[in-house]
Amino acid sequence: MSTSTRTKRVKKVRASSAEDPAMAKSPVSKFFGRLALAIVVIITLFPIYWMVRTAFSDNRAMFGEPLSLLPVDFTLGPIERVLGLATPDEAIAEGGSGASINFGLYMLNSIITATLITVFQIAFSAMAAYAFALLKWKGRDAVFNLFLIALMVPVIFTILPNFVLIKELGLLNTIIGIALPAMFMTPFAIFFLRQFFFGVNLSIIEAAVIDGASQWRIFSRIAVPLVWPQIITLALLQFIFYWNDYLWPLLVGTTEESKLITVGLGIFRSQTPAGNPDWAGLMAGALLAAIPIFVLILIFGKQIVGSIQSSGVK
Amino acid sequence: MAAKVSRDNQIVPAMLFLIPASIGFLAFFLWPTIRGIYLSFTDYNLLRDPTFIGFQNYIDIFNDAVFWRSMAVTFQYVFINVGLQTVIALALAVLMHRFTRSMIIRGVVVLPYLIANVIVALVWFWLADYSLGLINAVIDGIGLNKIGFFGSEAWAMPTIAFVNVWRHVGYTALLLFAGLQAIPRDVYEAAEVDGAGEFRVFRSVTLPLLRPILAFVLVVTVVGSFQIFDTIAVTTGGGPVDATRAINFYIFERAFERFDFGYASALAVILMILLATIALIQNRLLRANESDMER
C-alpha cells in the first residue's frame, strides 16, 4: 500500500466517522461501549504508571505506604543508583543493594546493537526484496519461498547451533557477536519490503531502464526513495524488537562491555536479595529501558499503529 | 509492458542483490537448521566434539518425566494465554470498531506489546509481589487472603499467562480491528435496517466475516505462545518446583546450564515438529485461506 492511499484512507475514515454505519448509534450502547474502552485504557496504562511511581520513590519509605498513588518521598535516588551515579553509601541509605550496576553502559550497548542490526538488516533485506519484487528471473518465487520457510523454524532451534557458531568464530561476549546473525536479513523484513516494492509504479522503473540507468541506481535512487516512509516504519519496529530481545543477548553477551539493557535488568532482578528487594531500583532500571521506546511511540505512534494494522490484512 | 522492462533475464543483477541476504540465510538459518538436526543425534557438551549416538536422545526424552511435565505446563500456558487473549482481543477490537476511531486509543492499547517482555514481567512481578506488591496490598486491605501469584504452584503459570495476555492483547486486537475495518459498511447498514441488536450484529455479521483473519491471528498466537521464555526466565525461573518449566525454558536449561547440547537439540527438533503440525492442523480446521466474504 502506498503512502498516498494510506493517507487517503485515513482521511476518508475521519470524514465519515460521524455517519459511519459500523459505529454504534444508540446512546445506551455508546455509554457502555465508551465506559468499557475507558476501563481498558486504565488497565493498560496503570501498570506503566506504577513503574514510574515506584522508580521515583524512596525504597525504604515506600513499604510503609504500599497504596500511595504518588511516589513516596519523591527522589531521583533509584535512577542515580542504577546509572551508577550514587555512592554505595547513598544507595544503601535509600534501600538499594550498594552493588555496582551501570545501566548507562547497558543502554549504550543496546543502542549500538539494535542500531547496527536494524541498519544492516533493513539495507540487505531491501536489496533482496528488490530482487524478489522488481527483477525478473527464473526461480524467483522458489527462492523467495525458501527464504520464507526460515520463518517456520522456532527461535530456540537455531539459537543452539548459532551459539556454537558464534563461539567458534570467537565472537562470544562481543556486540558484533550479538548482532551478526540478525544483520544480514530476516524473512519477516524481506516479506514486508517485497510488499512495499510491489506497490512501486512500474512505468517509472521502465523509464529509468530506457534511460540506461543501472539496476543499483534504480534501486537506490528511485525504488527505495519511493517507499522510504514504509521502510522507516519497518526499521522502527525492528529496532524496538531487537531492543527488547532477551534470550540471544543473554547467551552471547555476559560481560559488562557486551551486556544489553534487558540482560542487565534480568541479572539485577536475580541478584536482589529475596527478603529486602530494591523494587525502586528495579523499576528505575525498567523505566530507563522503556524510555527510548516511549519516545519512539510518541513521535512515530501513528505510523507504528498503521503498520501493525496493515500487517494482518496485507 | 513488463516484458519490455525486462528485455532479458535479470538473473545477474538479482544474484548480486541477493548476496548479503543469502549469506545470512545460509549461515544463520539453513546451516544451523541442518546442524541442529545433526546435533540432536549426538552427545555434545560444547567442549569435546559431538559423538553420534543415533536416536538415544529421543529415547531418553520419551522416558524423561521432566519433559512430559514440561509439555503439560506448556500446554496449560498456551491454553490459558491464547484462550483469554483471543476472547478479550476480539471484544476489544469490536469495541474499537463500534465506538471509537481514535488513533490515541489504538496507540495506548498496543503500547504494552512494544515494551520488552523483561520489563513487563518485572513490572507485574512487582505489582503481584506477595509481601509488598500493590495487588496483594489491595487484597489484604479488603480483608481477603493474600495470593502467592508467582510463588505458588497453582497460581504461577496462570499468572505468567495473564501477564502475557496483558502485553499481547492490544496487538492482537489491532490486527482484528484492521480485519473489521475491511468488512464492507453496507453490511452494517443492512443489519441496522433489520433492527439487529449489538450482540446479533456481532454473531451474524462480524464474526463470520472476520474468520480468515481470526484464523491467521490464532495460528500466529498459538505458535508464539508455545515459545514462552522471557517472562519465565526473569520471574519464576521454572519454579516453584517445576510449575512453570515450559518447553523453551527446559531446552535453555539443558543446553546452557547442563551443557547437554545434543539432548537440547533433540528437544528443539520435537518442538519444531510439534509447531509445524499444529500450524498445519489449524490451517485445515479453520479453513484459513477461504473467506465468507467475496473479496
Side-chain angles (χ1 to χ4, degrees):
Chain A
M1 181 174 55
S2 78
T3 336
S4 63
T5 50
R6 182 181 291 173
T7 42
K8 217 188 292 168
R9 205 172 73 177
V10 171
K11 269 183 203 147
K12 209 174 86 189
V13 167
R14 282 218 189 108
S16 65
S17 66
E19 70 276 12
D20 185 343
M23 304 272 278
K25 293 292 171 306
S26 104
V28 182
S29 324
K30 264 188 182 170
F31 173 78
F32 284 107
R34 286 181 182 161
L35 183 70
L37 278 172
I39 293 170
V40 169
V41 168
I42 291 170
I43 293 175
T44 307
L45 291 182
F46 186 79
I48 299 168
Y49 170 73
W50 202 249
M51 167 177 76
V52 178
R53 172 265 190 201
T54 309
F56 292 105
S57 293
D58 182 296
N59 198 51
R60 293 241 166 104
M62 191 168 66
F63 302 143
E65 296 179 61
L67 294 170
S68 163
L69 283 175
L70 292 173
V72 183
D73 285 3
F74 182 92
T75 169
L76 294 175
I79 305 269
E80 290 170 359
R81 197 150 72 231
V82 297
L83 284 175
L85 300 174
T87 65
D89 290 343
E90 284 169 359
I92 290 165
E94 282 203 4
S97 70
S100 103
I101 18 171
N102 193 348
F103 273 66
L105 179 63
Y106 308 155
M107 277 182 88
L108 188 66
N109 290 342
S110 274
I111 290 172
I112 295 171
T113 311
T115 308
L116 199 63
I117 295 176
T118 307
V119 168
F120 281 94
Q121 181 190 87
I122 297 290
F124 291 154
S125 299
M127 285 166 60
Y130 179 80
F132 286 131
L134 296 175
L135 296 178
K136 302 270 185 299
W137 46 286
K138 213 170 167 214
R140 184 175 83 164
D141 293 343
V143 176
F144 175 70
N145 286 331
L146 184 67
F147 271 54
L148 274 199
I149 291 175
L151 271 178
M152 296 298 294
V153 181
V155 178
I156 192 89
F157 186 81
T158 43
I159 268 183
L160 304 178
N162 273 340
F163 177 83
V164 178
L165 182 60
I166 292 295
K167 184 172 177 282
E168 286 164 351
L169 293 171
L171 292 174
L172 283 187
N173 296 319
T174 62
I175 297 237
I176 194 79
I178 301 173
L180 200 62
M183 276 169 63
F184 294 96
M185 69 119 192
T186 87
F188 176 85
I190 291 182
F191 179 84
F192 282 102
L193 286 158
R194 175 173 167 267
Q195 298 291 117
F196 302 160
F197 284 129
F198 275 144
V200 169
N201 188 340
L202 277 178
S203 56
I204 303 175
I205 309 265
E206 197 182 343
V209 170
I210 291 166
D211 286 349
S214 70
Q215 283 301 338
W216 176 255
R217 206 177 157 78
I218 296 173
F219 168 73
S220 60
R221 297 294 168 83
I222 300 172
V224 167
L226 280 173
V227 294
W228 189 246
Q230 287 138 286
I231 290 184
I232 290 294
T233 313
L234 181 67
L236 280 172
L237 284 171
Q238 292 305 88
F239 181 90
I240 292 174
F241 180 85
Y242 291 104
W243 179 273
N244 292 344
D245 201 13
Y246 181 64
L247 175 55
W248 176 250
L250 171 73
L251 303 174
V252 178
T254 51
T255 56
E256 286 292 292
E257 293 71 37
S258 63
K259 206 179 280 173
L260 302 194
I261 185 100
T262 46
V263 178
L265 265 175
I267 289 170
F268 185 18
R269 133 85 184 112
S270 63
Q271 283 174 351
T272 50
N276 180 23
D278 179 11
W279 287 114
L282 204 52
M283 289 302 108
L287 177 61
L288 285 174
I291 279 178
I293 305 302
F294 291 157
V295 172
L296 288 179
I297 292 163
L298 278 179
I299 304 174
F300 299 102
K302 198 179 266 182
Q303 287 89 326
I304 291 175
V305 168
S307 163
I308 292 174
Q309 263 177 248
S310 62
S311 68
V313 236
K314 44 165 180 15
Chain B
M1 184 187 73
K4 214 166 38 173
V5 175
S6 55
R7 280 157 293 150
D8 43 38
N9 201 334
Q10 293 170 313
I11 190 143
V12 175
M15 288 300 113
L16 292 174
F17 272 93
L18 277 170
I19 287 173
S22 303
I23 293 173
F25 179 73
L26 296 174
F28 297 109
F29 284 99
L30 192 62
W31 167 237
T33 302
I34 295 166
R35 199 179 189 184
I37 294 170
Y38 167 70
L39 287 178
S40 77
F41 295 106
T42 66
D43 180 16
Y44 183 38
N45 65 359
L46 280 181
L47 299 174
R48 273 172 282 116
D49 283 342
T51 38
F52 189 82
I53 53 166
F55 281 94
Q56 195 55 48
N57 285 326
Y58 291 92
I59 295 165
D60 291 346
I61 288 170
F62 187 78
N63 295 315
D64 179 357
V66 182
F67 164 73
W68 291 109
R69 173 84 176 123
S70 163
M71 287 315 288
V73 296
T74 308
F75 273 94
Q76 182 199 8
Y77 170 82
V78 171
F79 191 74
I80 302 174
N81 181 62
V82 174
L84 267 182
Q85 183 169 304
T86 310
V87 171
I88 300 173
L90 194 54
L92 180 54
V94 171
L95 277 176
M96 291 198 289
H97 185 56
R98 300 280 289 161
F99 299 103
T100 181
R101 287 293 173 270
S102 161
M103 207 63 180
I104 293 174
I105 290 193
R106 272 180 260 167
V108 166
V109 156
V110 83
L111 181 62
Y113 172 74
L114 300 169
I115 301 175
N117 271 321
V118 174
I119 300 175
V120 168
L122 287 177
V123 168
W124 281 98
F125 196 55
W126 163 221
L127 277 165
D129 181 63
Y130 187 79
S131 47
L132 303 163
L134 176 70
I135 298 173
N136 270 318
V138 171
I139 291 177
D140 196 39
I142 55 177
L144 299 172
N145 286 331
K146 285 187 174 186
I147 297 168
F149 287 104
F150 287 98
S152 73
E153 271 185 74
W155 277 94
M157 209 42 155
T159 302
I160 287 170
F162 168 78
V163 169
N164 285 326
V165 168
W166 181 82
R167 180 168 183 262
H168 280 270
V169 78
Y171 171 76
T172 309
L174 206 57
L175 293 178
L176 295 175
F177 172 79
L180 289 174
Q181 283 202 311
I183 297 175
R185 300 279 153 87
D186 46 8
V187 186
Y188 286 99
E189 268 162 22
E192 203 180 311
V193 171
D194 290 348
E198 207 65 53
F199 183 73
R200 185 70 207 269
V201 170
F202 173 75
R203 201 174 53 95
S204 308
V205 177
T206 309
L207 204 50
L209 293 180
L210 197 60
R211 213 201 50 228
I213 187 139
L214 198 57
F216 164 78
V217 164
L218 267 175
V219 173
V220 172
T221 49
V222 168
V223 170
S225 32
F226 263 100
Q227 301 179 54
I228 168 83
F229 176 84
D230 299 0
T231 318
I232 293 172
V234 296
T235 58
T236 61
V241 195
D242 49 10
T244 58
R245 183 170 282 108
I247 185 69
N248 249 17
F249 194 78
Y250 185 47
I251 296 173
F252 163 81
E253 281 184 328
R254 287 304 285 232
F256 296 99
E257 281 171 13
R258 295 163 68 173
F259 301 103
D260 218 343
F261 255 63
Y263 195 88
S265 300
L267 286 169
V269 169
I270 292 172
L271 177 67
M272 184 164 67
I273 293 169
L274 180 73
L275 290 184
T277 313
I278 289 172
L280 268 177
I281 293 175
Q282 272 188 314
N283 251 323
R284 275 286 161 75
L285 284 181
L286 297 159
R287 292 175 295 143
N289 302 321
E290 299 160 38
S291 166
D292 292 341
M293 174 171 51
E294 286 165 323
R295 293 213 186 222

